[in-house]
Amino acid sequence: RCLLDLEDFSPAFRSFEKSNAAYREAHPKWLGLKTLFQQDIWAQRTYVDALSKRSRKAGETETPLFAKPQAFVAGFPRSGTTLLRTILASHPDLAVVQESPAFGDACVFMPGGLATPATPEHILHNARTQYYAAVKALIPNLPYRVLVDIYPFNTRLVAWMKELFPQAKLILMARHPCDVCLSAYMQTFEINTLTAGMLTLEDTVQTYIELMSLWNDAVKALSLDVLTVRYEDIVSDFQP
């Protein structure tokens, strides 16, 4: 990073290559985790297809356990979700949960057979209950009007956002793909199924394509109403 600050870019990039090579060697499970991510993307695409063929009954909605509006913020790592969290957290009516596995953990209640005709309501209810219990532990006694869940890893779960919380608002934090991919490649993440695909520049680009293609295809197939916030707009012309 010192080389970057000195604008000595070629040696800086070689340093990042060596660092990521050492990280791969220190985490031999990274290839297996990357494969699990690709399998997860395929499974979520199957679920998007199944959900797009269903139709909710007129007036049907999720059980209002908290009876408060919900919003999810998605995006690729390094797209500016942390910046957006800082901005949103300053609003007194918002409770912001960042990088919590609560939603993904709740989704384990969802059926393994992703192409089932419909998910039973009791399973949906159990998943929502699990999610809200985890969230409540993160923001105990915090007064708010809208709950905002920000976690790039949840981007792949867009279909479950739709099924569990059909009234939730969806926000996509977007940044130029070149900036996102290079920044993600240069970052040292805790390794998981998503970040295992960011240990070479080629893999980082492919991971970006797979994740954001899933999101875009789901938005189209499920007719989702998404607010896109561009990182470049925030940093160039931020207006509170």
Side-chain angles (χ1 to χ4, degrees), residues 109-203:
F109 286 88
M110 302 299 284
L114 298 181
T116 54
T119 305
E121 183 56 37
H122 73 277
I123 292 180
L124 297 176
H125 181 81
N126 287 342
R128 293 177 193 126
T129 301
Q130 168 77 13
Y131 173 71
Y132 279 133
V135 166
K136 190 174 182 179
L138 295 171
I139 50 171
N141 303 318
L142 180 65
Y144 65 92
R145 291 182 56 194
V146 180
L147 176 67
V148 183
D149 192 333
I150 303 179
Y151 193 19
F153 198 43
N154 286 342
T155 303
R156 75 197 200 285
L157 303 177
V158 56
W160 277 334
M161 295 175 191
K162 167 68 174 177
E163 180 151 40
L164 283 168
F165 301 103
Q167 306 303 317
K169 303 301 181 182
L170 301 181
I171 302 170
L172 176 68
M173 190 67 196
R175 187 182 182 186
H176 194 288
C178 292
D179 291 331
V180 169
C181 290
L182 184 58
S183 182
Y185 174 67
M186 292 162 50
Q187 187 75 16
T188 301
F189 294 106
E190 181 179 350
I191 195 163
N192 57 35
T193 55
L194 175 60
T195 59
M198 301 179 193
L199 297 180
T200 71
L201 188 56
E202 294 81 1
D203 280 352

Side-chain angles (χ1 to χ4, degrees), residues 31 47 52 64 78 102 115 118 134 153 160 174 199 204 217 220 228:
L31 277 174
Y47 192 71
S52 68
R78 306 299 296 169
F153 198 43
W160 277 334
L199 297 180
T204 305
D217 292 345
K220 182 178 179 179
T228 299

